[in-house]
Amino acid sequence: MNTVVKIENLVKRYKELVAVDHMNLAIEQGEIFGLLGPNGSGKSTIINCLLSLTSYDKGEITVFGEKMRADNYSVKGRIGVVLQNVAVFDELTVYENIDYFCSLYIKDKAKRKELVKEAIAFVGLEDFVKFYPKKLSGGLLRRLNIACGIAHKPELIIFDEPTVAVDPQSRNKILEGIQELNRQGATVIYTSHYMEEVEQICSRIAIIDKGQLVATGTKEELKSMIQTGETIRVEVPEMTDEVLFGLEKLSHVLSVEYNEGLATIKCSGGRHNVLHVLEYLNNTETSFGRVFAEQPTLNDVFLEITGKELRDEVQ
Amino acid sequence: MVYYLYRVKRLFRNKILFFWSIIFPLVLATFFKLAFSAITEKDWGFDTIAVAVTTEEGSTPDEMLISFLEEMKNEDQAFFEVTETDPETADRMLSEKEVTAVIVVGEETVIKLRENGLDSTVVKTVIDGYLQSKDIFMEAAVTGKLAQVTEAFSDEMETLAVREFKGASKDPLIQYFQALIAMASLYGAMYGLMNSNELNTKANTADVAARRLASPMKKIPTVLADVAAAFTIQYVQFLIIIAYYLLVLKVDFGTINGWLFLGGAAYSLFGVLIGYCIGSVVRQKENIQNALMMGTVMFSSFLAGLMVGGLRITIELSAPIVNRINPATLIADSMQALCIMRDMDRFATCMIGILIWCVALIVVSVLAMGFRQMAEGRRVKNV
């Protein structure tokens, strides 16, 4: 596999704040690489450094084997960018916006026309080509934003939180579109603070917190890094301390929490954890209601490594 | 080219910019015309201008000046009715509006004007011309070229006299309209500022700027295309405004020739570059930039006489350097020189002033952008 992006020892400071702290990443060709972290963790700063939109204090960034600089136009021509905020011109129609941004990369008029047509079809804006952005709904605007970033068929596409403030239906379309682009051969860097999205589409994930790389790997690799293998939630109307201590002593049980009639039992990766827990409750004549068993999520990974919830940070 | 065409399209379709740079000047001009049309029709007419000449105590009367003023004629009608009198009487005549101006001959010849207006402009221009030539005349006496210079002197004075009125506008409101065109031209700064900010990743348009800067488009051609597009729009608007004044409002602009259109190109570029410079130097929030830009344009236009007619003359008499450097005055003065006075020297002087401004604005903008890039570049170290 070819390394498309290599970030070595990257440091970016904003006065006293270290936004990116000795970051090392390698993104391989054909991947959908997720940058997952709470707001303010440094994801967008990494992207800005990668695109040479901002300077950095230390480190080196290589893209397609070449050192990335603001004047490395040949490399820039192979990258597409879809930013968090919709970056289009209100004074141009849907078609004109896509054609304008495509013209920054493609000079040949006939080729550009073809590419713009394909991009419009890809995001499903055929019925809106003559519309001005202000006439489009939020979801359609997002699609236009994506079309402007991918019309020139880039080999590397960077999506910086493209689904923020998007309705679930449009979000799914966007995620499907990204996977389709990847199938067509594009390497994708996808930043988000929505762990479900990252888990859904990314082949490899880097978890970032406070500008530092917390962990990197496939979702399975990340989940295997933590002790929690399964989380069991049981509705228990009443639970004595004795039962609680007894649950904690069961093999594979890592921790037990009891709050407002819900027992949350974290277990290591052993088999039949649910069975053992329910057997114990039966034996102690503890009545219980519904039972839920979940595999660990990236939130569990984030929680166990950083000691805080990814979701909390999102709020 | 595609980039330029889209830029033109975008600027043209921007309703806010369109309003301020074209609709607003047209509405304001219409308002001026409607409000002052009665004055225009009633008050204009070439009359002999009454002036008093007095001599400071201890100084010798300037007989040459008196003869010169009395000799100036427009066909058979005298330009000036000259009254020689003592300083007190002269001041009384000025305050009682018996004369338009008092010329005080002394160690330094001083002009006291009753009020601003075309008559005052004429008196000041003629006396300035006379004093300039007088210096040469006196110098010639020292160098022994008196006869030669005397002949040239007579010709020059005659030319000056004719020039003052030949082709002159009969519309006393012309100064307002000139200041209005100056203001409209300087509103090109809005286009310049908008262009500049679209390459600024810290502005409100940061995402668009980021998308453009992430593309393989080189910065210099991008900036040049942006400037060219802004200039195109601004120049077209200049032409529309001129056409509206001449054809719809029937403003008598004086002599219209090709130089005005060349001048219009310079005014348009001047406005655009002011915006670029503000955008490049002041990397603050856009509302601060806009406030600074609008403040600059309006204050400059105020000094050029947009709100107070004849302020230009007052400034000319008290602080002429302000008129030499104020952007709106340079534009308005160049139009005055070209269309009203038909004074190509003065027109050229104004255009040189505008050119110097343009060069300075480009240099400052480039330096501001360059310094920022250098500062950014220095921070990228490979360790």
Side-chain angles (χ1 to χ4, degrees):
Chain A
M1 251 193 209
N2 293 329
T3 302
V4 174
V5 177
K6 196 171 181 186
I7 296 173
E8 292 174 290
N9 211 22
L10 182 69
V11 177
K12 169 70 186 175
R13 292 190 187 91
Y14 292 107
K15 293 181 182 167
E16 298 305 310
L17 176 78
V18 183
V20 181
D21 191 0
H22 295 89
M23 181 68 60
N24 288 289
L25 287 174
I27 297 162
E28 307 298 331
Q29 191 177 7
E31 281 191 309
I32 301 182
F33 189 87
L35 284 177
L36 177 67
N39 286 335
S41 59
K43 303 184 297 291
S44 294
T45 307
I46 294 170
I47 297 302
N48 286 340
C49 292
L50 172 58
L51 293 170
S52 288
L53 295 176
T54 188
S55 64
Y56 43 93
D57 299 279
K58 199 173 170 184
E60 187 166 290
I61 298 173
T62 313
V63 182
F64 296 117
E66 290 182 42
K67 193 179 170 191
M68 189 59 189
R69 293 187 317 266
D71 60 352
N72 196 337
Y73 300 112
S74 61
V75 169
K76 281 181 162 185
R78 299 166 72 182
I79 303 174
V81 190
V82 178
L83 298 162
Q84 181 173 347
N85 297 321
V86 174
V88 296
F89 295 119
D90 288 340
E91 305 88 1
L92 299 181
T93 63
V94 164
Y95 183 92
E96 288 169 340
N97 261 299
I98 301 170
D99 188 42
Y100 170 85
F101 285 109
C102 192
S103 76
L104 302 179
Y105 297 81
I106 309 291
K107 300 295 160 211
D108 183 83
K109 197 177 174 183
K111 188 181 175 191
R112 199 171 65 240
K113 198 173 174 184
E114 198 59 39
L115 288 170
V116 171
K117 224 170 131 181
E118 283 179 32
I120 289 170
F122 184 79
V123 296
L125 286 174
E126 295 95 328
D127 296 335
F128 305 95
V129 285
K130 287 187 177 169
F131 280 52
Y132 285 93
K134 280 188 177 168
K135 300 279 179 193
L136 299 179
S137 67
L140 292 176
L141 260 181
R142 289 278 166 185
R143 288 198 234 167
L144 170 61
N145 197 37
I146 291 172
C148 291
I150 58 134
H152 60 286
K153 290 217 183 293
E155 295 165 58
L156 170 65
I157 311 174
I158 298 167
F159 289 91
D160 188 8
E161 309 232 19
T163 57
V164 172
V166 170
D167 61 274
Q169 197 185 353
S170 296
R171 179 178 294 188
N172 285 338
K173 286 211 168 199
I174 290 170
L175 296 179
E176 282 167 19
I178 292 169
Q179 287 176 308
E180 177 56 31
L181 286 167
N182 179 247
R183 277 193 289 275
Q184 289 174 8
T187 303
V188 174
I189 299 176
Y190 186 86
T191 81
S192 179
H193 57 249
Y194 297 131
M195 60 176 180
E196 298 88 352
E197 289 180 3
V198 172
E199 212 170 332
Q200 186 184 336
I201 67 166
C202 295
S203 47
R204 267 196 328 132
I205 300 155
I207 297 179
I208 293 161
D209 185 43
K210 292 180 180 168
Q212 290 181 322
L213 183 64
V214 172
T216 184
T218 62
K219 59 187 171 191
E220 291 79 17
E221 284 169 346
L222 290 172
K223 287 172 186 177
S224 69
M225 285 177 189
I226 59 170
Q227 282 187 306
T228 307
E230 191 173 22
T231 303
I232 301 164
R233 290 186 174 83
V234 188
E235 288 177 356
V236 184
E238 278 178 30
M239 185 184 276
T240 61
D241 287 347
E242 200 181 331
V243 173
L244 197 68
F245 293 138
L247 274 173
E248 277 180 347
K249 282 178 185 162
L250 289 175
S251 61
H252 300 297
V253 171
L254 300 170
S255 66
V256 181
E257 277 177 30
Y258 181 70
N259 267 321
E260 295 175 0
L262 186 73
T264 304
I265 304 142
K266 296 209 168 193
C267 305
S268 59
R271 289 180 177 184
H272 314 303
N273 287 326
V274 177
L275 194 63
H276 291 150
V277 167
L278 296 183
E279 263 180 6
Y280 177 79
L281 291 174
N282 256 332
N283 293 342
T284 55
E285 296 181 343
T286 307
S287 57
F288 58 88
R290 289 182 295 176
V291 179
F292 308 92
E294 291 168 0
Q295 293 301 304
T297 64
L298 290 176
N299 190 49
D300 295 317
V301 177
F302 192 80
L303 175 67
E304 206 167 307
I305 296 175
T306 66
K308 62 190 178 190
E309 297 258 357
L310 189 58
R311 292 174 199 275
D312 291 344
E313 295 290 326
V314 174
Q315 304 309 312
Chain B
M1 195 61 185
V2 182
Y3 183 82
Y4 164 80
L5 290 175
Y6 271 127
R7 194 82 194 158
V8 169
K9 207 179 254 190
R10 284 191 51 226
L11 294 175
F12 184 72
R13 287 179 186 169
N14 188 308
K15 291 189 179 83
I16 296 171
L17 296 188
F18 189 76
F19 171 81
W20 283 106
S21 59
I22 186 156
I23 303 295
F24 181 63
L26 295 185
V27 169
L28 211 55
T30 309
F31 169 76
F32 279 162
K33 185 70 183 175
L34 291 174
F36 301 119
S37 58
I39 299 171
T40 308
E41 286 160 16
K42 190 181 70 183
D43 287 0
W44 180 260
F46 173 69
D47 291 322
T48 300
I49 302 166
V51 294
V53 178
T54 184
T55 306
E56 274 181 358
E57 207 177 314
S59 296
T60 316
D62 190 345
E63 296 300 338
M64 194 162 63
L65 171 67
I66 293 160
S67 308
F68 165 67
L69 292 173
E70 285 175 343
E71 284 304 312
M72 287 187 69
K73 285 190 173 79
N74 179 21
E75 294 174 357
D76 289 335
Q77 189 177 5
F79 273 16
F80 301 107
E81 183 190 333
V82 184
T83 308
E84 274 186 87
T85 184
D86 57 89
E88 289 76 24
T89 313
D91 285 343
R92 184 190 54 74
M93 290 173 81
L94 188 69
S95 63
E96 290 176 5
K97 299 185 179 179
E98 289 175 25
V99 291
T100 298
V102 171
I103 300 150
V104 185
V105 176
E107 199 172 323
E108 197 178 326
T109 300
V110 176
I111 312 163
K112 294 179 183 174
L113 295 169
R114 189 178 70 204
E115 59 191 16
N116 299 313
L118 198 61
D119 285 357
S120 302
T121 314
V122 170
V123 174
K124 184 173 177 345
T125 312
V126 170
I127 298 299
D128 280 350
Y130 166 79
L131 291 173
Q132 255 178 346
S133 302
K134 190 186 171 194
D135 289 343
I136 298 166
F137 190 75
M138 289 169 77
E139 200 179 304
V142 177
T143 55
K145 293 179 180 173
L146 193 60
Q148 267 176 286
V149 175
T150 305
E151 194 179 340
F153 173 80
S154 308
D155 290 346
E156 193 181 332
M157 288 301 110
E158 204 176 298
T159 309
L160 178 71
V162 171
R163 196 170 58 201
E164 289 311 313
F165 293 98
K166 198 173 174 185
S169 167
K170 292 183 176 179
D171 193 337
L173 289 174
I174 192 67
Q175 285 187 33
Y176 284 106
F177 289 103
Q178 287 165 349
L180 209 52
I181 288 180
M183 183 197 75
S185 300
L186 294 184
Y187 270 146
M190 288 190 292
Y191 296 116
L193 184 59
M194 179 182 165
N195 282 349
S196 174
N197 278 338
E198 283 186 9
L199 285 172
N200 177 7
T201 50
K202 290 183 179 69
N204 290 350
T205 48
D207 293 302
V208 168
R211 188 165 251 168
R212 287 178 64 188
L213 291 171
S215 79
M217 276 289 283
K218 291 179 182 171
K219 202 164 184 178
I220 291 174
T222 309
V223 170
L224 289 178
D226 284 350
V227 172
F231 166 77
T232 306
I233 291 286
Q234 186 58 34
Y235 188 55
V236 167
Q237 291 183 353
F238 168 81
L239 296 178
I240 291 171
I241 292 171
I242 290 284
Y244 182 76
Y245 287 3
L246 293 175
L247 305 175
V248 180
L249 296 183
K250 310 277 184 200
V251 174
D252 183 357
F253 239 77
T255 308
I256 302 285
N257 59 29
W259 287 105
L260 179 67
F261 299 101
L262 188 69
Y267 312 151
S268 302
L269 185 64
F270 191 12
V272 170
L273 291 176
I274 287 174
Y276 251 100
C277 192
I278 290 173
S280 305
V281 175
V282 186
R283 302 301 258 196
Q284 305 295 323
K285 287 183 177 170
E286 277 180 74
N287 51 2
I288 296 175
Q289 291 177 325
N290 279 323
L292 187 67
M293 185 264 296
M294 290 298 269
T296 305
V297 171
M298 292 315 290
F299 184 63
S300 177
S301 304
F302 167 76
L303 293 180
L306 181 67
M307 293 91 171
V308 182
L311 187 62
R312 250 153 63 198
I313 302 274
T314 311
I315 293 171
E316 187 66 37
L317 294 171
S318 54
I321 184 69
V322 175
N323 279 354
R324 297 294 93 75
I325 59 172
N326 178 30
T329 305
L330 285 172
I331 294 172
D333 265 356
S334 67
M335 281 187 284
Q336 172 90 355
L338 184 68
C339 304
I340 310 300
M341 301 300 188
R342 298 182 70 184
D343 183 344
M344 290 309 286
D345 289 343
R346 192 169 146 196
F347 175 71
T349 307
C350 292
M351 296 309 288
I352 288 168
I354 290 171
L355 190 69
I356 291 170
W357 257 114
C358 288
V359 171
L361 291 167
I362 291 170
V363 169
V364 172
S365 303
V366 169
L367 285 179
M369 283 194 279
F371 278 135
R372 198 168 300 109
Q373 271 183 352
M374 274 168 62
E376 295 258 304
R378 275 198 207 104
R379 294 175 63 191
V380 182
K381 298 170 207 153
N382 298 318
V383 180

